[in-house]
Amino acid sequence: MIDRAARNQAAEIVRRFISGQITNFEFEAKMPNTKDLAVLAIEDSLWLFYDDFKKHKLSGHWKLPDQTKSEMVRWVMFLHTNDEYF
């Protein structure tokens, strides 16, 4: 099931999070509630890259390696498609 509105919202939030514009707490609070498997998988995968007890951005100590960030940009691009995620 593709939830176009949730994908659009998630794409913007993920983009802002991986670029260090918003905190991990803002990311968690703003992610849409959906059954779209792509959104859920990306949200679940991103959880591995931050501390859910301390408020921080993905910068400084938490900065993502360039290759990891490049992969995550592909996740954002996928959210802009109408492809099913299996």
Side-chain angles (χ1 to χ4, degrees):
M1 174 197 105
I2 296 168
D3 182 343
R4 182 77 265 144
R7 283 190 179 193
N8 290 344
Q9 183 180 357
E12 179 62 16
I13 293 163
V14 171
R15 183 192 65 77
R16 293 183 67 215
F17 183 53
I18 66 175
S19 66
Q21 295 178 20
I22 63 173
T23 69
N24 53 327
F25 292 166
E26 291 171 304
F27 164 74
E28 289 180 340
K30 293 180 180 190
M31 281 299 283
N33 184 12
T34 183
K35 294 184 189 233
D36 188 310
L37 295 178
V39 174
L40 296 173
I42 290 169
E43 182 176 21
D44 189 50
S45 295
L46 274 167
W47 178 78
L48 300 171
F49 295 92
Y50 65 90
D51 185 332
D52 51 358
F53 292 109
K54 297 179 185 175
K55 182 177 177 181
H56 64 87
K57 294 182 179 181
L58 292 180
S59 59
H61 171 75
W62 292 98
K63 184 179 180 197
L64 297 169
D66 290 339
Q67 183 159 348
T68 302
K69 194 170 181 178
S70 293
E71 292 292 327
M72 290 177 177
V73 167
R74 291 181 186 165
W75 300 351
V76 173
M77 291 169 47
F78 184 84
L79 290 171
H80 288 291
T81 73
N82 288 319
D83 295 337
E84 288 284 349
Y85 179 84
F86 299 100

